[in-house]
Amino acid sequence: MLAVTEAAAEAISALTAQGGIEQEGGLRFAMQSSSDSQAALALSVAPAPAEGDQVVTANEGAHVFLEQQAADYLSDKVLDVQPDADGQLSFAVLEQA
């Protein structure tokens, strides 16, 4: 199952609070096909899980909603946040150690 770091959970909580959905909302991952037929992850802030989504709740109460194909893909991954070149935080999907 997808693991969520404390830093990622705090970032998710901040995002859902900005959207006014901090109690039941979360970050949602879904698979989408790109134009070159490569699968890609789509990330969005959602007020609630969609029907059939797996729900991962981090220790800090942050929710991650996983569409079934995304859940399969992310089952052995860790969700973290890392600063980009400009110092802005971005979500990162890493291999579990």
Side-chain angles (χ1 to χ4, degrees), residues 31-41:
M31 297 300 285
Q32 71 180 51
S33 297
S34 60
S35 58
D36 60 3
S37 74
Q38 292 287 330
L41 282 171

Side-chain angles (χ1 to χ4, degrees), residues 1 3 9 13 16 19 30 35 39 41 58 68 73 76-77 85:
M1 178 174 282
S13 294
T16 55
S35 58
L41 282 171
Q68 186 57 53
Y73 176 75
D76 61 347
K77 306 288 191 283

Side-chain angles (χ1 to χ4, degrees), residues 5-31:
T5 66
E6 185 177 328
E10 289 173 6
I12 293 166
S13 294
L15 281 173
T16 55
Q18 285 177 355
I21 55 172
E22 63 269 16
Q23 293 302 316
E24 61 281 341
L27 197 64
R28 184 170 193 269
F29 284 93
M31 297 300 285

Side-chain angles (χ1 to χ4, degrees), residues 31 54 66-77:
M31 297 300 285
Q54 285 187 21
L66 303 169
E67 175 264 339
Q68 186 57 53
Q69 287 181 312
D72 292 343
Y73 176 75
L74 295 169
S75 65
D76 61 347
K77 306 288 191 283

